[in-house]
Amino acid sequence: MNTTAISGTASEVMIEQFVASGIKYVFYNSGSREALFFDALNNNPKIHGVLALHEGTVASMAGAYTQVNNDPSVMLVHLGAGLAQSMGQLYNIWYSGLPVIVVTFFGDSGSYADRINLDLNSSFSPTSISAPLTKHSWTVLEPQGLPQVIHKAKTVATTFPQGPVHIAVHDKMLSKDRVNADIIQSNLNPLRSGYPSDGDVEQILCAIDKSNNPLLYVGDGVWKTNSEQQVTELAEYFGLGISCPEVDQRSISFKHPHHIGVFSQLGGYLDTYPVEFDPDFILSIGVRHQGNGNGEDLAVLKGVKDLYAVGSDIAYLKNYPGLSGAVIADENKFLSRMLEIGQDKFDSAKYSARKRTVKSYAFNTRRFRREAILKQPVPGKIRPGLLVDAVDSALEKFGGGYITTEQTAAPFDAVNFGDNRENVLLKAHGGSEGWGVGAGIGAKLAADNTPVVAMVGDGSLYYADSGLWTSVHHNIPVLFVIPNNGAYGIVAGSFAKSGGSMSDKGRYEGVVLDGINPVKIAEAFGMEAETVENEDILTEKIESALKFVQSEQRPFLLDVRLPIGLPEGGVAENQFKMV
């Protein structure tokens, strides 16, 4: 074992092991009991602390950081209370399967008083409330063991099924006492699953060859194994339609002409499409299929003649009843072997008609989606489809970038098809509100010089607006674009479908967000900002804002005013007022 001896405080040992493990940032909300930990963090030039004013933002920054390059991250929150504060965004990290190391400290609640300020109830372990949302957890009592537990945590978090882990450290280690420890130096590559058998590969290829409407269902296992190029090449060679889960839209760009959109239309803004694709073959690659806890979860798979699932672990296979075949293998290795055998044994020209069919279906479906968000102009408002196109085209002019998105008003699965497909779309799987602001910051720290646009719905902004201060405080150049429809639009849409009195009357309570000005919020935190209400200047404003962020290396916010996010013809119900 390659180690380096160190003598220092327990806090210094932790920081040195983070550095040896390749950690560049610690995302945190500061606390008084951890004073010497932050002192050690501040004194080490090889690692940087990124301060947020709320633990939810700490978690969303850490999570989105991992989404860019699939590198692990570290977040530290203040004792048990801070851990509780972070849980909404830790849920997103867990649901997304992101390799985040959560660190907390805890006190002795048995030897003396069993009621300690900011710690958990003494009847519960310091990792008890994180347990449902973490892959594994450890409680640490001896400072000499800190390097081992940190090294172990990184290995567990980054190995499939990837996910967050939690290290709870006894606060006796927050002292000036010096200890001798061995820092673990390891360049071990992340552990991956193995190769598929050629027999399994050939069985799937033969099923593809015989099918009429084959569909490729692509999820996070593809980008997490750097397989985007291979899966795209497979779709193009065999003429496969492409779909993805609503929660993960990254692995193949929506601008690809084979992309028919979100699987089973779970995007929240359209009920049906003019013509269903009706696949007779589905190959799920790296998709953790999900649902809503009812029979519809599996109904979308019924009637499919051949259903195959491939993934790095059982999470990618378990929600598909009646599989024709299943393969546990590294997605990259599987796709590479599929292409080797497929290109040798099957002629791509054979599938020309199928390619024309899937392109025609994708084109018609996309046109239908765009019409839904490009209705008649509303004076003083921006139609959502124009905003999608403007952000996408502006980023492509910079050579591509990352778009973090926590909003449904301007859906990117309605973007125009195109040959320039360098933009990467990142979103949280869990849907727990408050991800968007911190996500843009975390993604930018991982993306380095590549531009990042954070699309944050107005409702999402108000959940976590203090994150704007973090972007200003640390001078993290993100362009925040607020698709401001003045409402919790997706909630209002659900109210409309519920069949209750609100939908009957067309008057909606508890969803309209009026009287709030995102520009003033941004300016209060020291960020320059501007409102856009004219469609004629939208593209110009987004391009100039991106140029500002990239050249000045400072964050900026655009408040883009959309039509109100209520069902058609709906109005706000009169709200309760105390006086």
Side-chain angles (χ1 to χ4, degrees):
M1 185 166 66
N2 184 15
T3 62
T4 302
I6 182 177
S7 177
T9 65
S11 295
E12 290 168 341
V13 170
M14 291 181 71
I15 297 300
E16 287 295 336
Q17 186 59 56
F18 286 147
V19 171
S21 300
I23 302 299
K24 297 179 180 179
Y25 302 99
V26 174
F27 300 96
Y28 74 95
N29 175 257
S30 55
S32 54
R33 208 186 298 180
E34 299 95 337
L36 287 178
F37 175 88
F38 294 119
D39 188 71
L41 176 62
N42 181 66
N43 289 334
N44 193 313
K46 297 179 181 178
I47 191 170
H48 303 288
V50 181
L51 172 65
L53 305 182
H54 188 277
E55 291 85 354
T57 304
V58 172
S60 60
M61 290 191 300
Y65 178 90
T66 71
Q67 288 184 300
V68 173
N69 299 311
N70 206 26
D71 292 330
S73 65
V74 171
M75 57 174 275
L76 185 141
V77 289
H78 185 44
L79 307 171
L83 179 62
Q85 292 267 48
S86 73
M87 292 295 283
Q89 298 313 313
L90 183 57
Y91 175 84
N92 283 335
I93 292 171
W94 165 75
Y95 207 86
S96 303
L98 301 177
V100 174
I101 301 170
V102 181
V103 179
T104 58
F105 290 92
F106 69 96
D108 182 347
S109 60
S111 300
Y112 306 102
D114 65 1
R115 185 175 169 86
I116 302 175
N117 191 39
L118 300 179
D119 273 357
L120 300 181
N121 184 316
S122 60
S123 297
F124 295 87
S125 78
T127 62
S128 57
I129 63 171
S130 69
L133 305 181
T134 51
K135 183 179 175 183
H136 204 92
S137 61
W138 301 269
T139 302
V140 186
L141 301 179
E142 298 298 332
Q144 290 83 359
L146 286 167
Q148 169 64 13
V149 76
I150 292 170
H151 175 71
K152 190 184 331 182
K154 177 187 174 184
T155 302
V156 172
T158 56
T159 301
F160 283 85
Q162 292 184 330
V165 296
H166 180 192
I167 303 173
V169 183
H170 198 290
D171 67 0
K172 73 177 184 180
M173 284 177 252
L174 292 170
S175 71
K176 294 183 178 180
D177 295 343
R178 300 186 71 79
V179 299
N180 296 320
D182 293 319
I183 301 300
I184 300 172
Q185 308 289 346
S186 175
N187 295 318
L188 179 69
N189 290 324
L191 301 177
R192 294 287 184 261
S193 298
Y195 289 87
S197 72
D198 283 357
D200 287 337
V201 170
E202 290 172 359
Q203 179 188 354
I204 295 172
L205 285 169
C206 287
I208 291 175
D209 177 64
K210 295 175 183 177
S211 63
N212 295 315
N213 289 323
L215 179 66
L216 193 58
Y217 185 23
V218 181
D220 68 335
V222 171
W223 69 261
K224 287 178 178 177
T225 55
N226 299 312
S227 306
E228 297 98 321
Q229 181 178 341
Q230 291 95 325
V231 79
T232 303
E233 189 175 347
L234 181 71
E236 292 172 348
Y237 192 87
F238 287 96
L240 307 178
I242 299 165
S243 187
C244 64
E246 194 276 331
V247 296
D248 194 282
Q249 304 171 359
R250 169 177 181 170
S251 293
I252 301 182
S253 171
F254 281 122
K255 292 189 288 183
H256 193 284
H258 287 210
H259 209 310
I260 65 175
V262 172
F263 187 74
S264 74
Q265 300 91 51
L266 294 176
Y269 64 99
L270 291 177
D271 291 322
T272 59
Y273 302 132
V275 180
E276 295 297 332
F277 186 66
D278 194 23
D280 59 347
F281 168 96
I282 295 178
L283 174 58
S284 168
I285 301 183
V287 179
R288 291 174 291 152
H289 186 61
Q290 66 176 66
N292 296 307
N294 56 48
E296 293 300 313
D297 299 349
L298 305 179
V300 295
L301 303 171
K302 291 182 178 179
V304 179
K305 179 183 176 183
D306 290 308
L307 175 60
Y308 291 84
V310 178
S312 291
D313 63 79
I314 192 63
Y316 295 109
L317 313 179
K318 65 181 182 178
N319 280 330
Y320 299 105
L323 283 168
S324 305
V327 179
I328 291 182
D330 178 82
E331 288 86 346
N332 190 290
K333 296 168 184 173
F334 171 82
L335 287 163
S336 296
R337 192 60 181 146
M338 280 278 285
L339 289 168
E340 289 173 5
I341 297 176
Q343 291 169 351
D344 179 58
K345 294 191 173 185
F346 299 91
D347 183 0
S348 181
K350 177 182 178 181
Y351 311 110
S352 298
R354 197 157 74 185
K355 294 173 187 178
R356 290 192 295 270
T357 298
V358 72
K359 287 180 180 179
S360 175
Y361 178 82
F363 175 82
N364 289 327
T365 301
R366 188 64 53 87
R367 181 174 60 186
F368 177 76
R369 295 179 182 207
R370 289 181 62 77
E371 288 173 356
I373 58 171
L374 281 171
K375 297 180 179 179
Q376 289 298 315
V378 177
K381 303 294 182 182
I382 308 293
R383 285 172 288 174
L386 298 181
L387 176 58
V388 168
D389 291 344
V391 169
D392 178 73
S393 62
L395 262 183
E396 292 287 9
K397 288 181 179 179
F398 276 85
Y402 291 93
I403 302 170
T404 63
T405 178
E406 187 185 32
Q407 53 89 33
T408 58
F412 275 86
D413 57 350
V415 71
N416 265 322
F417 292 120
D419 293 330
N420 293 327
R421 300 193 286 263
E422 299 300 319
N423 294 335
V424 178
L425 192 63
L426 309 178
K427 68 179 300 184
H429 289 207
S432 181
E433 199 84 10
W435 178 263
V437 176
I441 297 168
K444 180 58 183 176
L445 287 167
D448 199 16
N449 293 324
T450 303
V452 171
V453 175
M455 297 281 287
V456 187
D458 49 330
S460 301
L461 172 68
Y462 308 146
Y463 258 76
D465 55 5
S466 68
L468 299 177
W469 177 88
T470 296
S471 188
V472 173
H473 179 68
H474 290 286
N475 203 35
I476 300 170
V478 176
L479 173 58
F480 295 93
V481 176
I482 313 302
N484 187 349
N485 64 0
Y488 286 130
I490 195 167
V491 178
S494 296
F495 286 178
K497 298 172 186 176
S498 69
S501 61
M502 282 193 283
S503 62
D504 293 341
K505 298 175 183 177
R507 302 182 66 87
Y508 296 92
E509 182 175 1
V511 291
V512 174
L513 306 173
D514 51 3
I516 311 175
N517 190 330
V519 168
K520 290 185 177 180
I521 292 173
E523 291 174 344
F525 287 118
M527 184 182 298
E528 294 180 58
E530 186 176 357
T531 297
V532 184
E533 300 173 299
N534 186 338
E535 291 185 346
D536 294 336
I537 62 172
L538 173 65
T539 299
E540 172 194 337
K541 289 295 183 181
I542 290 178
E543 289 180 357
S544 63
L546 257 180
K547 289 177 182 176
F548 173 88
V549 169
Q550 290 299 101
S551 61
E552 297 290 326
Q553 290 294 285
R554 285 188 284 150
F556 192 87
L557 183 143
L558 281 178
D559 172 26
V560 181
R561 296 300 176 101
L562 309 183
I564 191 164
L566 294 178
E568 192 167 354
V571 296
E573 179 63 279
N574 294 326
Q575 302 292 299
F576 163 77
K577 296 183 184 296
M578 184 174 176
V579 292

